[in-house]
C-alpha cells in the first residue's frame, strides 16, 4: 500500500465522518489528511481533536486524492478547479446538476490524466455497487430500481427537499422526465427502517446506472417521503433540518432473466446516512491506496471497483449489506 496525501473539502457530517474513519483505520495508510471548510472553525476543531496527520489545508494543496463533501450543487465547480495530473477526486454529491456537469467534464478530465468518481455516497454510490452485485446472478438485466430513506446532515436534507419538487429522470429505453413527488411505491428496506412510501425525485442514480446497464428497459430512483414532505416541497423548509440524520437505508431491486426464466434480486443496507456515506468514501480510499482502482475520466463508483470486493471492504467499515429472500 502507498501512503496517501488526502484533502477533504467540507467538514460537515460526511467530511468529519471520513476523518473519524481514517484516523481509526490502519487499513488506509495516510501520510497527511488536510481538511478545509467554509467555516474555518469546523476544520480547526477536527485538526485539534485528532492531531497529526490531520491538519487544516487549502484548495491549493497538492493532494493525491480529494474528497468533496460540500453541499450538493457546489461540487462540479470544485472538481473542475481541482483537476490536476494524476489526481483522484471523489465527489459525494447526490445532485442531478452536479453529476450531469461532472459527466460533461469527461474529456477535460481524461486530458489531465485525472480520475473523478461521481456519486460516492449512500445513493448514488453504494446503490450502484449493489445493483452490479445483484445483476451478477442474472443472465440479462431488464430493470433496475433504487430507493433510499433518510438524509445525512442539514445540506443533505435541503437537497432532498429540493429534489422532491423537481423533475425526476427515468430511463425507459431513453430519457423521460416525471414530476417529483409522483409515483408512490411502498418499498421495504432492511430493518429497522422496514416499509416506507417512496416517490420520484430529482436523483442522479439513473444517470450513472445507465452506463452499466444501457440495455435495460427501465432504470428508476425514488426517495422516501411523508405526505407533509410532498405538500411542503414547493416551499422553503418549514423547520431547520436535524444536524445529523439518525436513520437511513438504501434498497436496490434488479430484475431480468436467469436460465430463460424471469428473476429478480433485492439488496440493501441500513445505517445513519452520514455514517454510511463516509464509510463508502473510506472503502473507496482503501482500494485506491492498495492500487486496486485505476482509470481516468469521469466515472461512477461501480465502474472502477469490483462489487463483491468493495462490499467486503465496506463490511469492515461497519456497513453490512443484506438480501431480501422473501417471506
Amino acid at each position: 500500500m502507498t501512503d496517501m496525501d488526502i484533502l477533504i473539502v467540507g467538514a460537515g457530517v460526511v467530511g468529519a465522518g471520513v476523518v473519524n474513519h481514517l484516523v481509526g483505520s490502519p487499513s488506509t495508510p495516510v501520510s497527511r489528511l488536510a481538511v478545509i471548510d467554509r467555516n474555518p472553525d469546523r476544520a480547526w476543531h477536527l485538526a485539534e481533536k485528532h492531531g497529526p496527520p490531520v491538519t487544516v489545508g487549502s484548495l491549493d494543496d497538492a493532494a493525491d486524492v480529494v474528497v468533496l463533501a460540500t453541499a450538493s450543487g457546489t461540487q462540479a465547480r470544485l472538481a473542475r478547479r481541482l483537476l490536476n495530473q494524476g489526481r483522484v477526486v471523489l465527489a459525494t454529491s447526490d445532485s442531478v446538476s452536479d453529476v450531469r456537469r461532472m459527466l460533461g467534464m469527461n474529456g477535460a478530465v481524461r486530458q489531465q490524466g485525472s480520475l473523478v468518481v461521481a456519486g460516492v455516497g449512500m445513493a448514488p454510490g453504494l446503490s450502484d455497487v449493489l445493483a452490479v452485485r445483484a445483476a451478477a446472478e442474472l443472465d440479462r438485466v431488464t430493470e433496475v430500481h433504487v430507493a433510499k430513506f433518510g438524509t445525512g446532515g442539514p445540506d443533505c436534507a435541503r437537497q432532498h427537499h429540493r429534489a422532491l419538487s423537481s423533475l425526476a429522470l427515468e430511463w425507459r429505453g431513453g430519457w423521460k422526465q416525471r414530476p417529483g413527488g409522483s409515483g408512490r411505491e411502498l418499498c421495504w428496506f432492511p430493518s429497522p427502517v422496514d416499509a416506507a412510501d417512496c416517490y420520484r425525485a430529482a436523483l442522479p442514480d439513473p444517470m450513472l446506472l445507465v452506463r452499466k446497464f444501457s440495455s435495460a428497459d427501465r432504470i428508476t430512483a425514488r426517495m422516501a417521503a411523508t405526505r407533509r414532505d410532498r405538500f411542503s416541497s414547493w416551499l422553503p423548509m418549514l423547520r431547520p433540518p436535524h444536524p445529523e440524520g439518525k436513520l437511513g437505508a438504501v434498497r436496490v431491486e434488479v430484475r431480468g432473466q436467469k436460465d430463460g426464466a424471469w428473476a429478480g434480486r433485492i439488496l440493501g443496507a441500513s445505517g445513519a446516512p452520514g455514517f454510511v456515506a463516509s464509510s463508502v468514501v473510506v472503502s473507496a480510499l482503501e482500494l485506491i491506496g492498495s492500487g486496486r482502482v485505476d482509470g481516468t475520466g469521469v466515472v461512477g463508483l461501480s465502474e472502477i471497483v469490483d462489487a463483491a470486493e468493495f462490499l467486503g471492504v465496506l463490511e469492515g467499515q461497519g456497513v453490512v449489506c443484506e438480501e431480501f429472500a422473501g417471506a
Side-chain angles (χ1 to χ4, degrees):
M1 288 190 177
T2 303
D3 284 359
M4 292 184 293
D5 191 331
I6 300 172
L7 173 64
I8 298 177
V9 185
V13 172
V14 175
V18 172
V19 173
N20 293 335
H21 273 282
L22 290 174
V23 169
S25 174
S27 59
T28 308
V30 177
S31 59
R32 180 171 176 266
L33 185 55
V35 184
I36 61 175
D37 192 86
R38 62 186 177 185
N39 179 353
D41 288 343
R42 291 204 297 190
W44 280 108
H45 173 73
L46 277 176
E48 292 173 354
K49 173 184 175 182
H50 294 291
V54 183
T55 184
V56 177
S58 76
L59 287 176
D60 297 322
D61 285 357
D64 303 312
V65 183
V66 179
V67 177
L68 299 181
T70 57
S72 291
T74 66
Q75 295 189 17
R77 173 179 54 82
L78 284 168
R80 183 177 293 277
R81 175 175 175 177
L82 291 165
L83 284 183
N84 202 355
Q85 181 68 35
R87 175 175 282 177
V88 178
V89 177
L90 304 181
T92 62
S93 176
D94 62 352
S95 159
V96 168
S97 62
D98 266 340
V99 172
R100 179 184 288 119
R101 289 170 185 166
M102 280 188 271
L103 291 174
M105 291 162 45
N106 185 55
V109 176
R110 283 186 179 276
Q111 189 174 14
Q112 283 277 357
S114 302
L115 175 65
V116 174
V117 188
V120 187
M122 187 171 76
L126 175 56
S127 56
D128 307 346
V129 177
L130 289 174
V132 172
R133 180 60 175 161
E137 300 294 323
L138 302 177
D139 300 325
R140 174 173 174 256
V141 172
T142 57
E143 299 182 32
V144 182
H145 304 286
V146 173
K148 64 178 178 179
F149 180 101
T151 61
D155 287 333
C156 182
R158 294 186 187 98
Q159 170 61 23
H160 282 220
H161 184 77
R162 291 190 295 268
L164 199 58
S165 63
S166 304
L167 288 173
L169 278 176
E170 293 187 356
W171 176 261
R172 293 175 178 265
W175 290 112
K176 303 292 183 182
Q177 290 185 319
R178 298 286 188 265
S182 65
R184 184 178 71 175
E185 182 176 326
L186 182 65
C187 297
W188 285 87
F189 295 89
S191 294
V193 174
D194 299 325
D197 283 330
C198 295
Y199 301 86
R200 295 186 180 104
L203 303 171
D205 301 70
M207 299 171 63
L208 296 171
L209 286 167
V210 76
R211 297 163 63 91
K212 294 291 290 186
F213 303 104
S214 58
S215 61
D217 299 325
R218 293 181 62 204
I219 302 175
T220 69
R222 283 173 166 78
M223 58 181 283
T226 64
R227 182 175 297 179
R228 183 183 64 191
D229 293 333
R230 292 176 61 222
F231 290 147
S232 65
S233 64
W234 296 93
L235 304 170
M237 294 191 75
L238 299 179
R239 60 183 181 183
H242 194 279
E244 182 177 357
K246 297 298 183 182
L247 190 62
V250 61
R251 158 210 161 106
V252 177
E253 182 174 2
V254 178
R255 304 171 187 169
Q257 290 183 311
K258 173 72 172 178
D259 297 329
W262 292 105
R265 296 184 73 196
I266 301 175
L267 303 182
S270 63
F275 174 80
V276 174
S278 58
S279 299
V280 169
V281 172
V282 173
S283 299
L285 288 171
E286 183 173 332
L287 293 177
I288 291 169
S290 61
R292 286 174 281 176
V293 170
D294 190 24
T296 58
V298 183
V299 299
L301 182 61
S302 64
E303 296 178 65
I304 57 165
V305 300
D306 176 83
E309 180 182 41
F310 181 86
L311 294 177
V313 174
L314 185 65
E315 184 173 349
Q317 298 293 337
V319 179
V320 179
C321 298
E322 305 174 49
E323 179 170 7
F324 178 71

